[in-house]
């Protein structure tokens, strides 16, 4: 268990993959006591580490939720928790007898967090889907392409984490505050579809209309020559996104284009973007990445190298902030955001499956004995 502003909060998490475990990890990073209910199994799941980093800082108990005795243990844990996180399809927890009704019966203050792709209702709710599907139907994938090109596949982080896990965390925290005031818990219906749609309110607040530009695609950061990645001479890539005119001018100065009338006049002229991007592509291809890193170092040109996490670990910025840590469980990023009064520390270890079963069962037995003694 880590030290942080959520000390004293207990979360019961049902083993899953993707955004649910990430949300629970984030709450553990912030100091919550997270007990993850791992299911008995004979081997690792395909494509998933036996000890995923999203389990770091949690305590693990093995329970078979199809077993009556283990379901009773689960309800005893739920009775002593502030929050619960599950990521099954709608109706699964109800069929197990562990839905919100049953859990809030033993704990009226419980904040019951539900993480799905489509949400708890609607025609898509019972259907399978993945990150790309949720983003597509929510309208979030529409702008993820250069004009007249097919939308690209963004990192899973955009839907699973941006539209999913972070909205679940926000919902859980709001639920805790409401329970503190009212004494009643709530059910948090966190859907990636909803979160991905909500994220677009920022883009819809920006005037994306451009004379001569492609219709409907409203993202002003897609297509511009000043908002792209470029290939360098060593086949590495550099990112450029100098949106504001003053930063754009700084970029042009470093590129030796400060007197080029075409670049100066057409920062926001979509018809000129392909031509100007071709010119920048040719220039960036003249030198390797380290040349451009040095050229733009400590400037407001909004240029940065495209690095792997392992390369990011060695950057001066990471050296200063200690965001990436090398641990016994591999390379990890520390908890975010940061708080005054709680120093940044190395990520806690990832538990073995069921590592804390005996410890947690002993706590339940002790708490039961205390309650029985008070009643007598």
């Amino acid at each position: 268990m880590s030290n942080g502003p959520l000390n004293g909060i207990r979360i019961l998490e049902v083993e899953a993959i993707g955004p649910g475990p990430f949300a629970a990890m984030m709450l553990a990073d912030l100091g919550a006591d997270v007990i993850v209910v791992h299911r008995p199994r004979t081997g690792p799941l395909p494509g998933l580490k036996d000890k995923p980093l999203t389990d770091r800082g949690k305590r693990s108990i093995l329970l078979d939720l199809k077993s009556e005795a283990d379901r009773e243990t689960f309800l005893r844990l739920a009775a002593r928790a502030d929050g619960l996180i599950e990521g099954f399809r709608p109706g699964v927890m109800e069929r197990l007898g562990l839905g919100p009704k049953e859990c809030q019966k033993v704990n009226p203050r419980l904040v019951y967090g539900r993480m799905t792709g489509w949400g708890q209702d609607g025609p898509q709710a019972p259907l399978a889907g993945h990150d790309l599907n949720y983003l597509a139907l929510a309208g979030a994938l529409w702008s993820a392409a250069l004009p007249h090109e097919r939308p690209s596949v963004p990192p899973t982080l955009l839907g699973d984490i941006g539209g999913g896990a972070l909205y679940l965390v926000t919902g859980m925290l709001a639920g805790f505050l409401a329970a503190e005031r009212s004494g009643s818990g709530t059910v948090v219906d966190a859907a990636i579809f909803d979160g991905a749609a909500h994220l677009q309110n920022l883009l819809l607040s920006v005037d994306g209309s451009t004379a001569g530009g492609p219709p409907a695609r409203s993202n002003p950061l897609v297509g511009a020559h000043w908002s792209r990645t470029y290939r360098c001479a060593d086949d590495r890539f550099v990112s450029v996104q100098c949106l504001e005119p003053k930063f754009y001018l700084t970029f042009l100065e470093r590129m030796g284009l400060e007197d080029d009338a075409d670049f100066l006049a057409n920062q926001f002229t979509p018809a000129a973007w392909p031509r100007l991007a071709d010119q920048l592509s040719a220039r960036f291809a003249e030198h390797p990445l380290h040349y451009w890193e040095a050229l733009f170092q400590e400037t407001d040109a909004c240029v940065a190298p495209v690095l792997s996490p392992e390369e990011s670990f060695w950057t001066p910025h990471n050296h200063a902030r200690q965001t990436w840590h090398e641990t016994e469980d591999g390379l990890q990023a520390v908890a975010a955001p940061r708080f005054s009064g709680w120093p940044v520390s190395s990520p806690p270890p990832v538990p073995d499956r069921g590592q804390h079963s005996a410890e947690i069962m002993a706590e339940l037995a002790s708490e039961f004995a205390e309650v029985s003694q008070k009643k007598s």
Side-chain angles (χ1 to χ4, degrees):
M1 292 178 288
S2 59
N3 184 35
L6 292 186
N7 278 343
I9 296 291
R10 176 174 288 184
I11 309 293
L12 182 61
E13 175 199 354
V14 182
E15 178 184 13
I17 59 174
F22 187 94
M25 179 201 74
M26 190 168 181
L27 294 170
D29 284 346
L30 297 178
D33 174 18
V34 177
I35 297 175
V36 55
V37 176
H38 282 126
R39 289 164 282 172
R41 68 185 193 211
T42 57
L45 295 176
L48 185 68
K49 293 181 178 179
D50 191 47
K51 293 176 63 174
L53 294 184
T54 49
D55 277 349
R56 74 183 190 192
K58 303 175 183 179
R59 295 194 290 165
S60 170
I61 184 172
L62 283 179
L63 293 178
D64 180 359
L65 298 184
K66 295 181 180 180
S67 157
E68 184 176 349
D70 282 1
R71 285 198 300 272
E72 179 60 31
T73 297
F74 185 92
L75 287 172
R76 290 171 63 193
L77 289 168
R80 292 156 179 80
D82 298 284
L84 183 153
I85 290 177
E86 64 92 4
F88 291 125
R89 289 199 206 190
V92 172
M93 289 294 281
E94 282 82 355
R95 289 194 293 273
L96 290 169
L98 301 172
K101 180 180 178 181
E102 293 83 3
C103 290
Q104 290 180 332
K105 182 178 180 180
V106 299
N107 183 357
R109 296 172 59 92
L110 184 70
V111 178
Y112 196 109
R114 318 199 77 167
M115 184 73 255
T116 61
W118 300 118
Q120 294 297 311
D121 50 38
Q124 295 288 131
L127 304 179
H130 282 296
D131 199 86
L132 196 65
N133 311 128
Y134 312 137
L135 295 175
L137 198 66
L141 201 62
W142 181 245
S143 299
L146 296 174
H148 312 300
E149 294 185 4
R150 69 183 183 196
S152 59
V153 179
T156 305
L157 304 179
L158 177 59
D160 272 8
I161 308 306
L166 297 185
Y167 278 85
L168 177 57
V169 168
T170 301
M172 297 297 290
L173 296 176
F176 296 151
L177 291 174
E180 184 67 27
R181 292 194 301 268
S182 68
S184 298
T186 188
V187 177
V188 180
D189 177 3
I192 298 173
F193 176 82
D194 296 343
H198 186 263
L199 287 169
Q200 294 175 85
N201 286 329
L202 176 62
L203 289 181
L204 296 175
S205 300
V206 178
D207 183 8
S209 60
T210 49
R217 284 187 175 160
S218 59
N219 188 347
L221 300 179
V222 173
H225 59 289
W226 43 263
S227 181
R228 297 192 180 200
T229 59
Y230 290 94
R231 186 185 297 271
C232 305
D234 54 357
D235 284 333
R236 299 298 305 276
F237 293 89
V238 64
S239 69
V240 177
Q241 196 166 69
C242 41
L243 166 64
E244 294 84 354
K246 63 179 180 179
F247 301 150
Y248 180 68
L249 287 175
T250 300
F251 170 74
L252 294 182
E253 289 169 1
R254 287 286 167 151
M255 293 293 288
L257 296 168
E258 66 271 26
D259 297 322
D260 190 305
D262 200 11
F263 276 94
L264 289 170
N266 291 308
Q267 181 181 1
F268 298 108
T269 308
W273 289 348
R275 179 179 71 253
L276 299 178
D278 286 344
Q279 293 182 47
L280 289 177
S281 293
R283 289 218 176 191
F284 277 112
E286 293 174 358
H287 301 285
L289 179 60
H290 67 79
Y291 171 89
W292 299 112
E293 285 187 271
L295 182 68
F296 287 103
Q297 189 173 8
E298 297 183 2
T299 72
D300 283 336
C302 302
V303 176
V306 178
L307 304 179
S308 68
E310 291 78 11
E311 291 171 319
S312 178
F313 174 82
W314 295 104
T315 61
H317 192 69
N318 186 65
H319 179 74
R321 288 189 63 81
Q322 295 290 296
T323 298
W324 287 106
H325 277 227
E326 188 63 64
T327 73
E328 62 181 24
D329 294 307
L331 186 65
Q332 298 184 55
V334 298
R338 304 182 184 197
F339 301 86
S340 61
W342 284 281
V344 176
S345 58
S346 184
V350 177
D352 294 322
R353 297 174 63 82
Q355 177 178 331
H356 304 95
S357 294
E359 172 186 311
I360 294 167
M361 293 301 290
E363 288 177 4
L364 286 176
S366 176
E367 291 169 0
F368 178 77
E370 287 180 12
V371 171
S372 299
Q373 188 175 18
K374 287 180 181 178
K375 288 182 178 179
S376 61

